[in-house]
Amino acid sequence: MRRKSKFFLPARYLLLIMSGVCIIIMLLSFTLNISGGPLNAAAGYVFVPMQEGINKVGTWISDKAANLKNLSDVMAENEDLQNQVDELTTELNTIKLEQYELDNLRELYSLDQKYPSYEKVAANVIGKNSGNWFNTFTIDKGSNDGIEVDMNVMAGSGLVGIVTDVGPNYAKVTSIINDTSKVSGMVTTTSDNLIVSGSLQKMNEDMVIEFNNLNDKDNEVSINDPVVTSAVSYNYQQGILIGYISSIETDSNNLTKSGTITPAVDFEHIEEVLVILNKKQTVEN
């Protein structure tokens, strides 16, 4: 009986071996410059598509590399533009800050020129009480700069308040909107006197302070009339603008009037002030 051979080569390995042989033969054909015949034809069918595929892959890789380079260039350019934007933004903010400071200095200078008869020193606000309003605050000038208790303080367009405490290099100011503040005032249009009282409640409600004891029997005082510190004020220099009458009504006694005043100073934003170094002269009894 005939014995069967035990050696068996799978078809996939056989195909792989034949493909390898064909490739070797074709390489030899190209290397040895063998022209014509089936080898050349086989090479044409195998290597030409292979070369086209390699060219396409190379072109794809080249395009991708070019795109990556362009993207890198765009990102670098974008970074440069962002840096320029940041620099311009910083410059713009600096210009705005300088303009803001310049406007404040111009306002102080204008206020200083408005009251030329008083000697003054400028100071910066370095602290304040809690809340929205500057009803008490601290400035960066003190006794070393000639500041004393009861000296008047101005800002914006008029009277802020009075110095109530002094240290060597600081002073504390109580403003006219404080609940404890009282100022003798005068209506400039009629020279009638009145008493101006601070009121944080009124400031919170309508941004005004109160006045009372106005003698206006001829009904000459009107809305928007200016009110200044009067000559009879105990601690305040005469003629400093307090604000403008915003409401007025006759009291129940039918003899006096009371109402509200819109302050000349923005008591929500105070950064620099002028302190009048001349104290009010009072007559000793």
Side-chain angles (χ1 to χ4, degrees):
M1 176 179 258
R2 190 176 181 181
R3 297 177 62 184
K4 293 184 179 180
S5 175
K6 293 182 179 181
F7 178 76
F8 175 75
L9 185 66
R12 61 178 179 275
Y13 293 124
L14 182 61
L15 179 62
L16 182 61
I17 292 171
M18 293 178 64
S19 299
V21 171
C22 291
I23 292 173
I24 292 171
I25 293 173
M26 286 185 285
L27 289 174
L28 290 174
S29 174
F30 278 100
T31 303
L32 300 177
N33 198 20
I34 302 174
S35 60
L39 290 178
N40 247 0
Y45 283 111
V46 174
F47 283 100
V48 170
M50 184 182 298
Q51 185 64 40
E52 290 178 351
I54 292 173
N55 289 340
K56 289 180 179 179
V57 171
T59 301
W60 183 83
I61 294 174
S62 178
D63 291 341
K64 291 298 181 183
N67 290 338
L68 288 174
K69 184 178 183 304
N70 291 336
L71 179 60
S72 177
D73 292 341
V74 169
M75 292 178 67
E77 183 178 356
N78 182 67
E79 184 176 356
D80 291 340
L81 291 174
Q82 186 60 51
N83 290 335
Q84 294 180 28
V85 169
D86 292 341
E87 290 177 2
L88 291 174
T89 301
T90 301
E91 291 179 6
L92 180 60
N93 289 336
T94 300
I95 291 173
K96 287 182 177 179
L97 179 60
E98 291 175 348
Q99 183 63 48
Y100 179 74
E101 292 175 347
L102 180 60
D103 291 342
N104 286 342
L105 290 175
R106 284 175 176 170
E107 190 175 56
L108 282 182
Y109 177 76
S110 176
L111 185 63
D112 181 44
Q113 296 300 302
K114 188 176 179 180
Y115 303 95
S117 59
Y118 299 135
E119 183 183 359
K120 314 172 197 69
V121 62
N124 297 304
V125 176
I126 58 174
K128 66 181 288 292
N129 60 292
S130 60
N132 295 330
W133 308 108
F134 283 76
N135 64 88
T136 59
F137 58 89
T138 305
I139 57 177
D140 63 354
K141 298 290 176 67
S143 58
N144 292 341
D145 305 284
I147 295 178
E148 300 177 7
V149 171
D150 289 338
M151 285 183 172
N152 297 179
V153 180
M154 301 187 299
S157 299
L159 182 65
V160 169
I162 197 166
V163 175
T164 51
D165 186 26
V166 177
N169 56 0
Y170 74 91
K172 293 184 178 180
V173 179
T174 298
S175 70
I176 60 173
I177 68 170
N178 192 283
D179 291 331
T180 63
S181 177
K182 289 189 181 298
V183 183
S184 294
M186 181 187 74
V187 182
T188 59
T189 55
T190 64
S191 297
D192 289 323
N193 291 324
L194 47 75
I195 301 297
V196 180
S197 302
S199 174
L200 291 177
Q201 180 180 346
K202 286 292 185 180
M203 286 296 295
N204 287 326
E205 292 174 353
D206 301 308
M207 299 181 68
V208 296
I209 53 180
E210 298 177 316
F211 74 85
N212 53 47
N213 289 341
L214 170 64
N215 293 308
D216 181 33
K217 58 184 179 180
D218 295 327
N219 296 320
E220 294 178 342
V221 177
S222 303
I223 301 298
N224 295 325
D225 281 352
V227 177
V228 299
T229 52
S230 72
V232 298
S233 178
Y234 184 75
N235 289 323
Y236 290 91
Q237 299 285 2
Q238 180 181 358
I240 303 176
L241 181 63
I242 297 173
Y244 303 90
I245 290 179
S246 53
S247 69
I248 185 171
E249 61 182 20
T250 302
D251 296 330
S252 58
N253 59 18
N254 291 321
L255 298 175
T256 59
K257 293 182 179 180
S258 59
T260 58
I261 295 173
T262 300
V265 174
D266 179 3
F267 282 98
E268 195 172 8
H269 308 94
I270 301 178
E271 295 185 4
E272 296 93 8
V273 298
L274 289 177
V275 181
I276 298 177
L277 297 179
N278 312 89
K279 293 178 67 172
K280 180 69 178 286
Q281 299 297 317
T282 58
V283 178
E284 296 289 343
N285 292 327

